[in-house]
Amino acid sequence: MAPKQAEPPRPIERVIRDVTARGVRMRVLEAGSGPALLLVHGFMVSHREFEDVIDAFARRFHVIAPDLPGFGESEKPSPTRYPYGIEAFAESMADLIAAFGVGRASVLGHSMGAGVALTLAAEHPELVTRLVVEDALCYPFPLSFKARLPLIPILGGVIFKQLYGRAMFRAYFRDDVFRPGAELPMARIDQHYDFFNAPESRESAYAILRAMMDTRPIVARVTRITTPTLVVWGREDKLFPAASAQRLAREIHGAKLEIMNAGHSPHEERPREFVSLVTQFLEGMR
């Protein structure tokens, strides 16, 4: 008698909705059921950077994955109306948790989104059950010549808002985000660029870029975090050196540390391994 084959996992239903937080409309993906898990994306992308892990997480958790203000399909108000920066994003995430009525949530943030998650956990510990920070924006980081160009007074804004084309955008992900030889999710990268490539998107992203350069407010909050925390880092991260992972894990009391064989985005390079270690942590098994 032939062994019974395992049934394929049931497809995950995803719901897209618009939620207003801090007066700004945010596009949010919702999937799954169980304890709430908020996913906070990084710079120049949207919740779609989590595409490879959303369904796997949604089999165990109630996933809430927003596009931050200024990114993806969320509203992109003028910097005169919304104070783009890590603190403003953290307060928007606090509003979002309240809007979904989940009480508290585990929070997973990547890169810039990890800086948001750290700030949220420090300022609103009552909202964060467990914290996962992946290749986090936290400490001062080295800037390549290409990265410094947009920061040149006057000329930098012109470069970023008008001259930063698809080829340069792709090169950023190829050369800086993913490790050498990694398979690039090119369709996703192009989608990130399409959302970025509008005047209001570039204006928002430029305001955030400038705000991100001063990480002192994040550093000052790190030692205040009491939430159980997992620090995940790519060993070959070119943007934020892996030495920062060790420092961050030391400065957050009781934090656990996992170094993965990946670049700046382990959840995209090694999604199954990433989901496994994060799930074990969130469910209290490590």
Side-chain angles (χ1 to χ4, degrees):
M1 189 176 193
K4 186 177 179 181
Q5 292 185 342
E7 294 184 6
R10 290 176 299 170
I12 297 294
E13 180 182 0
R14 298 181 176 195
V15 177
I16 300 292
R17 60 178 60 182
D18 286 341
V19 177
T20 298
R22 298 283 147 169
V24 177
R25 178 193 59 77
M26 285 193 294
R27 179 64 49 89
V28 185
L29 179 147
E30 187 178 16
S33 60
L37 173 59
L38 176 66
L39 306 181
V40 190
H41 66 78
F43 183 58
M44 301 279 274
V45 296
S46 69
H47 80 266
R48 290 159 185 80
E49 73 154 315
F50 294 113
E51 182 64 36
D52 297 336
V53 299
I54 285 174
D55 284 2
F57 280 135
R59 299 188 193 285
R60 310 288 282 269
F61 305 101
H62 173 193
V63 172
I64 301 169
D67 290 349
L68 291 168
F71 293 102
E73 294 181 286
S74 287
E75 186 181 355
K76 301 166 181 67
S78 164
T80 60
R81 186 163 78 83
Y82 183 83
Y84 288 106
I86 301 302
E87 291 89 350
F89 285 156
E91 293 304 319
S92 292
M93 293 302 95
D95 279 6
L96 191 66
I97 291 172
F100 275 88
V102 295
R104 306 179 76 203
S106 290
V107 181
L108 189 167
H110 174 230
S111 191
M112 178 193 77
V116 175
L118 290 166
T119 302
L120 178 66
E123 295 297 320
H124 298 282
E126 73 283 0
L127 298 180
V128 184
T129 309
R130 289 196 168 222
L131 176 66
V132 180
V133 289
E134 177 192 6
D135 294 74
L137 170 71
C138 183
Y139 305 111
F141 52 94
L143 290 174
S144 67
F145 173 73
K146 286 190 300 183
R148 289 196 299 268
L149 284 176
L151 302 173
I152 299 172
I154 303 175
L155 180 61
V158 174
I159 292 172
F160 190 83
K161 297 176 190 178
Q162 299 181 26
L163 304 180
Y164 195 57
R166 189 181 300 272
M168 291 178 68
F169 196 89
R170 286 176 169 179
Y172 162 70
F173 282 88
R174 182 193 67 226
D175 299 338
D176 297 327
V177 175
F178 291 89
R179 65 175 175 170
E183 183 177 349
L184 300 182
M186 196 56 72
R188 188 182 309 157
I189 292 169
D190 280 344
Q191 187 178 48
H192 293 325
Y193 178 76
D194 291 338
F195 285 127
F196 164 76
N197 191 29
E200 65 274 15
S201 301
R202 290 176 181 252
E203 186 76 26
S204 301
Y206 187 64
I208 298 161
L209 175 66
R210 294 183 65 84
M212 284 168 49
M213 291 302 106
D214 183 4
T215 63
R216 288 174 298 178
I218 305 174
V219 175
R221 290 182 170 101
V222 164
T223 55
R224 290 165 41 194
I225 294 172
T226 57
T227 303
T229 301
L230 172 65
V231 177
V232 183
W233 222 275
R235 192 183 312 277
E236 299 180 60
D237 190 335
K238 296 178 183 176
L239 295 174
F240 305 154
S244 296
Q246 297 164 351
R247 177 181 172 185
L248 186 57
R250 285 196 308 268
E251 294 189 352
I252 298 177
H253 179 71
K256 300 179 184 300
L257 173 63
E258 292 281 350
I259 303 293
M260 297 180 63
N261 290 321
H264 182 66
S265 191
H267 71 270
E268 291 184 280
E269 290 190 30
R270 308 182 76 90
R272 296 170 94 178
E273 181 182 340
F274 182 84
V275 167
S276 177
L277 72 89
V278 169
T279 299
Q280 289 181 51
F281 171 74
L282 295 180
E283 294 184 339
M285 293 183 287
R286 57 188 305 146

